[in-house]
Each structure stands twice: as structure tokens, then as C-alpha cells.
Amino acid sequence: MKNPLHYIQEYPHRTKQILGITNQQFRDLLNIAEIHHNLLQSEIKCQEVRINSKGGGRKPKLGISEEVCLYLFYLRQMPTFEVLGLQFGISKTEANDTFHYWLVILQKILPASLLEQVEKNESDYAIGVDVVDWCRVKYILFIN
């Protein structure tokens, strides 16, 4: 089974259909995400207490670009984590962990959805409620 990132690298014009963003937007997001990832990792390393020597442990199966692709692929296609793991050649648990790791980072980078913006600003919510009420009034008038 072909990894979606490898497919995107072969056919860059298909990026929008697979991930929901253009290939250039994906590349820009990768650059910014890598910077934030490195900052987070340096913070983690400063706080950890080492028992084993540096360099020990299992090496990650996916690179940063594959992990970001996994995150965007999940948001666009909404597969189960089992299917997502199969797509990227990892376990469902690792797919879940990878998604939630990048969720924290990319929430800081990407703009909030309209629903999140309304939840943060109550004044926007009031405007939204007024629009919904107005649509209901028009609907009631139209039926009668």
C-alpha cells in the first residue's frame, strides 16, 4: 500500500484532493510545523531526567513530513486510526499518538474554525444567533 505522502510527492497536483490544501500550502505548513516541533522537543529535553544514555530507544518510523501528512490526511478523509495506521505503515496506537501530538502543535499554527471563533467571542455568537433567528422568521413567514 502506498503512503499518501509518497503519492503526493509523485503527483503534487493531487495534494488538494488528498489533504485539502495545495502542495505549496503543505510545504509552507511543513516548514512552520518543523520549527514548532523542534522548539517543543527542546523544551521536553530540558525538563527530562535521563536514566539511559542519549541516543537510546526506538527510532521513529515516520519523519516529520509523514507525521504532518498523517494529521492532515485524517482531518480530510476521517478514516479510523486502524486504517490510518495501515496507510502509513504503523500501528493504530502510533497513528492515534501521532495525530494527537500534532494536534497540539498545529492548533497553534492553523487558524481556528468558525465554530471555535464564535465560542471564544460571545459578541460573534450573538450576531450568529440573530442571523439564525432572522432566518427562522423568514421561513415562518414564507410558510404562512
Side-chain angles (χ1 to χ4, degrees):
M1 189 175 293
K2 191 176 264 192
N3 185 322
L5 182 63
H6 297 142
Y7 185 79
I8 288 169
Q9 290 170 343
E10 279 186 42
Y11 306 102
H13 63 282
R14 303 287 309 270
T15 307
K16 183 139 181 125
Q17 294 168 332
I18 296 170
L19 299 180
I21 58 175
T22 64
N23 194 23
Q24 185 58 45
Q25 289 171 330
F26 178 63
R27 297 287 163 216
D28 294 341
L29 180 62
L30 274 177
N31 293 333
I32 295 169
E34 188 167 1
I35 292 168
H36 284 269
H37 167 72
N38 292 335
L39 288 172
L40 181 63
Q41 289 302 311
S42 65
E43 287 176 16
I44 291 171
K45 285 182 183 178
C46 289
Q47 296 174 358
E48 74 180 355
V49 177
R50 283 207 158 274
I51 296 173
N52 296 333
S53 63
K54 187 175 179 179
R58 185 179 62 82
K59 305 295 182 226
K61 290 184 180 179
L62 301 177
I64 293 173
S65 57
E66 288 176 311
E67 289 180 354
V68 173
C69 183
L70 178 143
Y71 175 83
L72 294 172
F73 186 80
Y74 177 82
L75 290 178
R76 175 72 172 183
Q77 307 296 334
M78 295 302 270
T80 62
F81 284 110
E82 179 113 19
V83 172
L84 192 64
L86 287 172
Q87 283 288 133
F88 285 88
I90 57 177
S91 69
K92 66 180 179 180
T93 305
E94 192 170 348
N96 185 7
D97 293 344
T98 301
F99 174 79
H100 286 92
Y101 172 79
W102 285 101
L103 177 67
V104 172
I105 294 174
L106 294 176
Q107 272 184 333
K108 296 175 186 173
I109 298 171
L110 298 174
S113 69
L114 289 176
L115 182 61
E116 290 172 354
Q117 290 175 13
V118 168
E119 287 175 351
K120 289 180 183 175
N121 300 325
E122 290 183 20
S123 60
D124 293 345
Y125 180 71
I127 291 169
V129 170
D130 290 343
V131 170
V132 170
D133 289 342
W134 172 245
C135 291
R136 285 184 188 151
V137 169
K138 284 178 63 177
Y139 179 73
I140 291 169
L141 291 175
F142 181 72
I143 291 177
N144 294 333

